[in-house]
Amino acid sequence: MPKKFPIIWLTGQPGSGKTTLSNAINSFIKSEGIENSKKITTLQIDGDDLRGIMNNKNYSKEGRFKNIILAQNIALFGQNKGFLVIVSLVAPYIELREELKSKTQVCEIYLHTSEKRGRENFFSTDYVKPENNFYSIDTTEKTIEESVNEILTVYRSMATMA
């Protein structure tokens, strides 16, 4: 049976750095490894990619639910196959995020910024911030490297407790 890595779930409003940090984490793991091993295979699930694959540009509650549930199912499948899964998705509904955390170990990272980054028209007015078992990072003044280091520090501490 393959090792089950905790899922890294980056959540937050558009423009908070989810995709950028997901790509940077993925690159770091491929070049530097994690847990003293470069043989870990990652699986990235990004909201923009998911909407493209599913041809679902529906930003209604129903459309978002459909995409979030699909992302969760893919993440669980990848985790069960031994992938280190990195999800970058707005996922505004706390009940869906909490449901996933009840099924498996998730390193939920809430990203936020006070900076305008050109995606304001995609903001989710019904976004509910995490309340339990999450880590918060304000990306406004942090470099990508600082944020990645912070995320991986939290992730490593969680993974060693598994």
Side-chain angles (χ1 to χ4, degrees), residues 82-98:
F83 292 94
L84 191 159
V85 180
I86 308 164
V87 181
S88 50
L89 200 66
V90 171
Y93 310 111
I94 192 169
E95 64 270 20
L96 290 179
R97 297 190 315 263
E98 290 299 318

Side-chain angles (χ1 to χ4, degrees), residues 8-10 18-19 22 44-48 86-90:
I8 298 174
W9 189 287
L10 305 176
K18 295 177 303 298
T19 299
S22 174
Q44 282 184 270
I45 303 169
D46 184 77
D48 290 335
I86 308 164
V87 181
S88 50
L89 200 66
V90 171

Side-chain angles (χ1 to χ4, degrees), residues 8-159:
I8 298 174
W9 189 287
L10 305 176
T11 183
Q13 290 284 7
S16 61
K18 295 177 303 298
T19 299
T20 300
L21 291 175
S22 174
N23 290 335
I25 292 166
N26 187 51
S27 294
F28 179 87
I29 291 170
K30 285 184 176 183
S31 67
E32 301 293 325
I34 195 167
E35 296 183 356
N36 300 320
S37 173
K38 290 186 184 180
K39 296 183 181 189
I40 294 172
T41 306
T42 59
L43 171 63
Q44 282 184 270
I45 303 169
D46 184 77
D48 290 335
D49 294 337
L50 195 61
R51 280 187 296 281
I53 291 167
M54 294 304 295
N55 197 24
N56 180 1
K57 308 285 190 221
N58 183 348
Y59 288 91
S60 69
K61 187 170 186 171
E62 295 77 23
R64 287 182 189 262
F65 257 72
K66 183 178 178 180
N67 281 347
I68 296 164
I69 290 168
L70 177 61
Q72 289 178 341
N73 288 334
I74 294 169
L76 287 169
F77 175 80
Q79 182 188 48
N80 286 332
K81 294 295 183 183
F83 292 94
L84 191 159
V85 180
I86 308 164
V87 181
S88 50
L89 200 66
V90 171
Y93 310 111
I94 192 169
E95 64 270 20
L96 290 179
R97 297 190 315 263
E98 290 299 318
E99 181 182 321
L100 179 64
K101 289 193 279 188
S102 74
K103 294 177 183 177
T104 191
Q105 194 173 25
V106 178
C107 181
E108 182 179 21
I109 307 292
Y110 169 60
L111 302 174
H112 52 96
T113 182
S114 59
E115 186 178 51
K116 299 287 185 200
R117 294 185 175 158
R119 303 280 315 244
E120 300 83 41
N121 57 328
F122 292 107
F123 273 23
S124 175
T125 56
D126 52 355
Y127 186 88
V128 179
K129 296 176 185 175
E131 296 174 356
N132 298 304
N133 303 320
F134 73 98
Y135 190 79
S136 177
I137 298 177
D138 183 343
T139 61
T140 306
E141 295 185 18
K142 288 196 170 140
T143 66
I144 293 170
E145 183 178 85
E146 289 170 331
S147 295
V148 167
N149 287 337
E150 204 169 325
I151 291 166
L152 290 177
T153 297
V154 170
Y155 182 79
R156 285 182 185 110
S157 69
M158 173 183 264

